[in-house]
Amino acid sequence: MEDSRFHEILKELGELHDKKQKDYGSGVDPFANIRSSKDWGIPPWVAALIRGGDKLRRLQSYFETGTLRNEGVEDSLRDMAVYTIIALIMWEEEQTCH
């Protein structure tokens, strides 16, 4: 049961990523928003981790206060998972370039 839910969530995360990238990416590069961190001297894999860190801070706030105003716990957990996968992709790309 848990294994099937694990793969179901992975599929849902892929769909979430595809939907959000229409707002954040470009038609040519779905990771354009993450890659733009290079303009600031920040490797894209680090930028993805920073964005995931923002989600972690949101969850810490929930733990401390018991409330969130704009985004729920489940949304933050899902976003963290997606940012981690994006960080892995950006890391792999950086390693192949060196």
Side-chain angles (χ1 to χ4, degrees):
M1 178 70 150
E2 289 115 13
D3 188 50
S4 64
R5 180 65 183 135
F6 178 86
H7 290 281
E8 183 180 334
I9 289 172
L10 288 176
K11 182 177 183 241
E12 291 169 1
L13 291 175
E15 292 167 356
L16 174 66
H17 165 74
D18 291 347
K19 186 168 83 172
K20 286 190 173 191
Q21 287 313 93
K22 290 180 180 156
D23 291 334
Y24 295 110
S26 72
V28 177
D29 182 5
F31 302 118
N33 62 323
I34 301 293
R35 287 189 219 287
S36 69
S37 68
K38 289 190 281 189
D39 297 342
W40 297 89
I42 299 170
W45 70 272
V46 173
L49 291 178
I50 290 169
R51 291 175 187 208
D54 291 341
K55 302 302 178 172
L56 180 60
R57 301 288 178 268
R58 186 184 306 274
L59 291 168
Q60 287 172 325
S61 176
Y62 174 77
F63 177 74
E64 292 168 2
T65 66
T67 61
L68 290 174
R69 291 188 179 162
N70 298 309
E71 181 178 278
V73 169
E74 187 175 318
D75 291 331
S76 293
L77 289 169
R78 289 174 181 274
D79 286 344
M80 279 179 57
V82 170
Y83 280 126
T84 300
I85 294 167
I86 292 170
L88 175 60
I89 292 167
M90 299 293 101
W91 170 258
E92 289 174 346
E93 286 182 5
E94 184 175 295
Q95 298 311 300
T96 59
C97 292
H98 289 104

